[in-house]
Amino acid sequence: MLLQQTRVAQAVPYFERFTRRFPTLRSLAQASQEEVLKVWEGAGYYARARHLHQAAVLIAKEQGGRIPSTVPELERLPGVGPYIARAIASQAFGVAVPALESNGLRIVARWTREAHDVRVPKVRATLEAVLSRELPVSRPGAYNEAVMELGETICTLRAPRCRECPVSSLCATYRAGVDPETLPKRAPKPRRPLVRTSVIVLHHRGGILLQRRPPRGLLGGLWELPGAERRKGELPEQAVRRELREEIGITVGKVRFRGVVRHSYSHFHVELRILEGDVAGSPPPLAGHRRWVSPRELTRLPLPRATTRVLETIRMAGTRRRPSGERTDRAQRAADRSHP
DNA sequence: AAGCCGGGGTA
DNA sequence: TACCCAGGCTT
């Protein structure tokens, strides 16, 4: 589930961290969602973590801890769709079903010169039927993995190495002399709009104000800095003052500009102009999804990457230098990759 | 069927 | 900058 829309190399450090903290299904089932999100932090697509947690709770409670072994049962689990259900069934339980993800879809689309979008269910079913005929009943899991491996090393999206391909004789695209890079066909994606926002690091009694996002949707359940989308012609400071006054009843004192962070999500870009300041007067009591968070508590809350980057920017502005020994996120991930 | 959902490597 | 990655869920 972690590998969903995530490259293997990118997932490895998160996999290590997650399985170290939750080595068993039961340990995952017993954890709070907030801690699960914290351990998942940075991996993205946070619904995957919520679903995996829900699935663990469900299996521990209703199945006596036994993971289902058939495709229909697996597909009923939250976060488990057609691919993951078939991958688990074939690889963990030896069920003879093809498991097609994007590598497999690409390969079979090229083998058959499939002219339509391979993500359309009807087309997808056709490709699955083709692969079902090739799939050896004795080792379906190994076969499914081999198809992915072929897609990763030989039949790549760009610059495929047909000369090295062990099954080019089976490939209709290769035999016809058609450029394999023209397949599979995919619908173009709409381009991502830019959203201009301003956020504030608002200090009060040794803490800063954070708010938890709604339990579903973008970054669901994660904690972030308060802020607002800037309206046309509106200054960053005006947007933040308006939002905190109208939504929380807080009057913001003098603020200072601390820099800009740009971040990209799956379907839009965002620009965060960073402000820092204090509360004017005494703030009202906060609702449950808002808290004054001490530096110590901050280490336990799940934060989106953009928020982490904003806080890092503030720390650098405050200290002028990074304390020796501390690594940036990027440097830390690079270190994780070279010393897994 | 189409849109939503993160983050990062790569060309 | 645009594209894509061991997809699934919601509308």
Side-chain angles (χ1 to χ4, degrees), chain A residues 105-116 118 127 155-157 160 162-163 165 167-185:
Chain A
L105 290 173
R106 179 174 65 251
I107 288 171
V108 185
R110 287 175 178 171
W111 279 353
T112 62
R113 282 188 72 186
E114 174 55 58
H116 303 93
V118 296
L127 299 182
C155 196
T156 49
L157 180 68
C162 296
R163 287 297 148 83
C165 181
V167 288
S168 57
S169 62
L170 303 175
C171 182
T173 304
Y174 180 77
R175 291 163 66 105
V178 174
D179 179 3
E181 287 195 50
T182 61
L183 293 173
K185 266 195 61 183

Side-chain angles (χ1 to χ4, degrees), chain A residues 44-55:
Chain A
Y45 280 172
Y46 296 92
R48 298 180 297 174
R50 301 195 303 268
H51 289 149
L52 184 55
H53 185 216
Q54 290 168 17

Side-chain angles (χ1 to χ4, degrees), chain A residues 116-286:
Chain A
H116 303 93
D117 189 331
V118 296
R119 288 169 301 183
V120 173
K122 186 113 178 162
V123 178
R124 185 196 175 93
T126 306
L127 299 182
E128 263 185 21
V130 170
L131 205 60
S132 291
R133 290 198 290 274
E134 305 290 331
L135 187 100
V137 178
S138 58
R139 300 182 66 194
Y143 184 83
N144 285 330
E145 289 195 82
V147 171
M148 291 187 283
E149 204 71 20
L150 184 65
E152 188 181 316
T153 58
I154 306 286
C155 196
T156 49
L157 180 68
R158 283 184 292 269
R161 314 146 115 94
C162 296
R163 287 297 148 83
E164 304 173 36
C165 181
V167 288
S168 57
S169 62
L170 303 175
C171 182
T173 304
Y174 180 77
R175 291 163 66 105
V178 174
D179 179 3
E181 287 195 50
T182 61
L183 293 173
K185 266 195 61 183
R186 309 182 81 155
K189 287 186 186 169
R191 44 190 295 276
R192 295 180 280 188
L194 172 65
V195 178
R196 300 170 198 277
T197 71
S198 54
V199 296
I200 183 165
V201 178
L202 187 66
H203 296 272
H204 180 63
R205 298 171 66 117
I208 62 173
L209 181 59
L210 288 185
Q211 50 193 22
R212 186 173 55 219
R213 295 182 57 88
R216 286 195 293 272
L218 183 71
L219 306 171
L222 275 68
W223 291 77
E224 65 178 8
L225 294 163
E229 182 173 350
R230 288 165 58 200
R231 295 172 181 170
K232 199 167 175 61
E234 192 177 40
L235 296 174
E237 180 176 338
Q238 294 172 325
V240 161
R241 288 188 185 283
R242 168 174 57 77
E243 176 74 9
L244 270 71
R245 185 180 62 248
E246 292 178 0
E247 298 299 325
I248 320 180
I250 286 179
T251 304
V252 177
K254 183 178 157 91
V255 300
R256 277 179 293 198
F257 177 69
R258 292 302 195 191
V260 182
V261 162
R262 287 172 228 284
H263 193 76
S264 294
Y265 293 99
S266 50
H267 55 296
F268 67 96
H269 304 282
V270 65
E271 171 198 88
L272 301 96
R273 292 186 176 265
I274 307 167
L275 303 173
E276 187 170 18
D278 298 280
V279 177
S282 65
L286 298 177

Side-chain angles (χ1 to χ4, degrees), chain A residues 5 34 52 73 86 134 153 213 236 300 304 331:
Chain A
Q5 292 290 280
E34 186 144 284
L52 184 55
E73 287 178 298
R86 285 162 180 75
E134 305 290 331
T153 58
R213 295 182 57 88
R300 291 193 214 99

Side-chain angles (χ1 to χ4, degrees), chain A residues 301-321:
Chain A
L301 298 181
L303 308 177
R305 189 66 89 205
T307 300
T308 304
R309 291 177 56 204
V310 168
L311 293 174
E312 177 69 16
T313 303
I314 288 279
R315 274 198 289 275
M316 290 182 62
T319 59
R320 304 288 290 272
R321 294 177 121 175

